[in-house]
């Protein structure tokens, strides 16, 4: 069988050569052959010089997705090798992790597929027609590489329609218990891979959660507690403080989902954490997670809309030492950026007001349509309106198991910043 060829235009931006993994219809001069949706196609430049092989889908704006820069056969063996390499990279970079993202789509040279490992369970999300047609290759390779207790598919995402695919969700083979307790930074976290958001949990903030560590202690003095000459913590009135977490932070974990930031905050010494999420189910799970780790007495839970909650707390003049904001992606596409920015600004503005002078704002955005520079600008606008001055402690991205290709900003989506907040 001869492989079809897509000739790219001579006068195009050399994105493919810069590491970008997609070809758009407007970049193609002509197609030689009769490729069908999902077929492998050779991408060549205007002079016919080979550039890469990709999956072809005429229904999609991403008409070709690069699979390999070599001319090797795109077969089951190639898929196995790619999956093995992706897994080896994680074992190398995260040698102690038993749960992580194993495949991050294009950035692992497997376009349109996400694979998360939850201890002995694998969750797969398929987002491209090329992968959809070859999913048995992936399942076979995964069984060989991991011998998992089960594989669950979470292709229940509307973006599949852009590839002409229906949403799908369920057990790949035999049913199994979809509840898994994953270990992250030494904490136990209950995940339901069938019911949880996305593929069940967000591994991308693993390292960012660990970055909370130094922020969680050192607050006793600002709570009016002093250590006396015998080393005992005492209140301003001289009463001895019995709470072993007297030096810990009071934390608001907003958009908590199943409470991962709350768990880390407690683990690193927080005195009290308030967990807020709009989803009752997520809050129930967060509570179970607090119980599982022995943190129930240091936590409280609120199921509410963050926009209302934050405003109400400001009105009531409530404050926290550390406020964490990890909202969902408000900007689902380019057109929605400006309205999304208004949403981000509002929660950040209210969030800043809830931080005690000298306290900390931890703020994130997982929307790749919102660039890092727009994210900083949004924070600046919020700080101006809230009469605050922000001083950066750390700016971070997604964790090491979510690689980013230089030249493909789509793979670089997570922004995570830690600021000290001062009055102005
Ligand atoms: N911090 C979490 C991930 C947050 S995902 C973690 O590390 O695991 C975003 C969460 O925001 C979801 O759990 C969703 O239920 C919640 N959410 C969405 N809109 C909300 C709103 N208006 N108010 C409060 N929570 C909201």
């Amino acid at each position: 069988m001869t492989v079809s060829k897509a000739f790219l235009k001579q006068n195009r931006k050399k994105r493919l050569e810069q590491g970008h993994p997609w070809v758009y219809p407007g970049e193609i001069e002509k197609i030689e052959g009769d490729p069908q949706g999902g077929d492998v196609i050779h991408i060549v430049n205007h002079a016919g010089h080979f550039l890469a092989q990709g999956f072809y889908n005429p229904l999609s704006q991403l008409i070709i997705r690069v699979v390999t820069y070599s001319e090797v056969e795109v077969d089951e063996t190639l898929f196995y090798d790619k999956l093995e390499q992706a897994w080896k990279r994680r074992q190398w970079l995260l040698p102690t992790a038993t749960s992580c993202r194993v495949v991050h789509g294009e950035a692992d040279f497997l376009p349109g597929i996400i694979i998360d490992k939850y201890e002995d369970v694998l969750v797969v999300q398929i987002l491209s027609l090329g992968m959809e047609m070859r999913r048995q290759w992936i399942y076979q390779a995964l069984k060989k590489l991991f011998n998992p207790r089960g594989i669950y598919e979470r292709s229940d995402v509307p973006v599949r329609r852009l590839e002409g695919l229906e949403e799908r969700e369920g057990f790949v083979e035999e049913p199994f218990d979809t509840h898994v307790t994953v270990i992250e930074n030494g904490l136990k976290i209950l995940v339901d891979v069938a019911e949880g958001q996305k593929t069940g949990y967000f591994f991308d903030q693993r390292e960012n959660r660990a970055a909370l560590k130094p922020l969680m202690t050192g607050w006793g003095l600002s709570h009016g507690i002093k250590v006396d000459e015998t080393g005992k913590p005492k209140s301003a009135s001289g009463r001895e403080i019995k709470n072993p977490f007297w030096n810990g932070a009071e934390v608001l974990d907003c958009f908590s989902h199943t409470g991962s930031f709350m768990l880390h905050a407690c683990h690193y010494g927080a005195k009290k954490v308030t967990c807020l999420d709009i989803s009752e189910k997520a809050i129930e799970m967060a509570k179970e997670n607090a119980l599982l780790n022995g943190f129930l007495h240091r936590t409280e839970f609120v199921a509410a809309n963050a926009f209302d909650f934050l405003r109400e707390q400001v009105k009531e003049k409530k404050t926290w030492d550390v406020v964490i904001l990890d909202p969902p992606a408000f900007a689902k596409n380019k057109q929605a950026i400006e309205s999304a920015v208004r949403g981000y600004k509002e929660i950040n503005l209210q969030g800043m007001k809830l931080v005690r002078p000298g306290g900390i704002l931890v703020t994130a955005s997982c929307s790749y349509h919102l660039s890092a520079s727009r994210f900083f600008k949004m924070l600046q606008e919020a700080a101006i309106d809230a009469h605050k001055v922000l001083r950066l402690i750390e700016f971070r991205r997604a964790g090491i198991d979510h690689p980013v290709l230089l030249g493909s900003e789509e793979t670089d989506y997570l922004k995570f910043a830690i600021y000290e907040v001062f009055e102005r």
Side-chain angles (χ1 to χ4, degrees), residues 197 201-202 205 209 253-261 276-279 282 304-307 326-328 330:
Q197 307 241 340
Y201 184 68
F202 302 95
Q205 302 253 39
R209 293 177 188 119
D253 176 11
C254 210
F255 305 96
S256 67
H257 191 225
T258 53
S260 69
F261 280 98
L276 176 122
D277 200 280
I278 201 165
S279 153
N305 187 330
F307 285 86
D326 183 21
F330 291 153

Side-chain angles (χ1 to χ4, degrees), residues 215-398:
L215 315 173
M216 288 300 121
T217 51
W219 300 93
L221 199 58
S222 62
H223 298 163
I225 301 170
K226 279 191 186 144
V227 177
D228 72 6
E229 50 297 338
T230 66
K232 290 199 176 95
K234 297 254 172 82
S235 72
S237 60
R239 195 168 39 88
E240 194 183 327
I241 306 287
K242 292 280 196 281
N243 182 350
F245 298 101
W246 63 271
N247 202 22
E250 291 174 9
V251 180
L252 172 62
D253 176 11
C254 210
F255 305 96
S256 67
H257 191 225
T258 53
S260 69
F261 280 98
M262 167 272 289
L263 295 175
H264 284 75
C266 288
H267 185 49
Y268 299 135
K271 186 169 162 186
K272 182 100 200 188
V273 185
T274 307
C275 243
L276 176 122
D277 200 280
I278 201 165
S279 153
E280 302 260 0
K281 225 189 240 169
I283 285 292
E284 274 316 304
M285 202 91 155
K287 225 183 263 180
E288 276 185 56
N289 278 326
L291 180 69
L292 187 64
N293 290 276
F295 300 148
L296 211 47
H297 61 296
R298 283 191 279 153
T299 48
E300 60 182 22
F301 299 89
V302 186
N305 187 330
F307 285 86
D308 303 333
F309 178 86
L310 292 170
R311 235 175 276 136
E312 276 158 26
Q313 301 304 302
V314 169
K315 229 185 259 163
E316 288 173 22
K317 301 210 171 353
K318 183 94 183 70
T319 53
W320 280 270
D321 300 314
V322 180
V323 171
I324 302 169
L325 302 172
D326 183 21
F330 291 153
K332 301 273 190 230
N333 54 52
K334 251 193 205 151
Q335 293 70 36
I337 291 181
E338 282 319 306
S339 74
V341 167
R342 282 194 292 278
Y344 286 119
K345 183 182 164 189
E346 168 66 10
I347 56 161
N348 278 282
L349 173 84
Q350 304 300 343
M352 283 172 203
K353 289 186 182 169
L354 292 177
V355 176
R356 275 178 203 142
I360 306 280
L361 177 74
V362 177
T363 182
S365 164
C366 58
S367 183
Y368 79 76
H369 298 288
L370 186 73
S371 64
S373 61
R374 190 69 189 87
F375 175 71
F376 290 128
K377 188 162 167 257
M378 173 278 296
L379 288 172
Q380 178 74 88
E381 288 162 1
I384 292 169
D385 290 3
H387 295 273
K388 305 285 181 189
V389 172
L390 266 52
R391 183 164 71 186
L392 186 67
I393 294 180
E394 250 192 292
F395 179 65
R396 309 179 57 91
R397 305 262 186 185

Side-chain angles (χ1 to χ4, degrees), residues 6-15 17 23-30 43-48 51:
F7 289 77
L8 300 189
K9 288 182 178 159
Q10 182 166 16
N11 295 319
R12 68 192 155 90
K13 202 172 156 218
K14 299 280 185 291
R15 288 182 317 103
E17 290 86 336
V23 175
Y24 297 103
E27 296 172 310
I28 296 179
E29 181 71 51
K30 64 169 180 183
I43 309 165
V44 300
N45 73 3
H46 66 281
L51 296 174

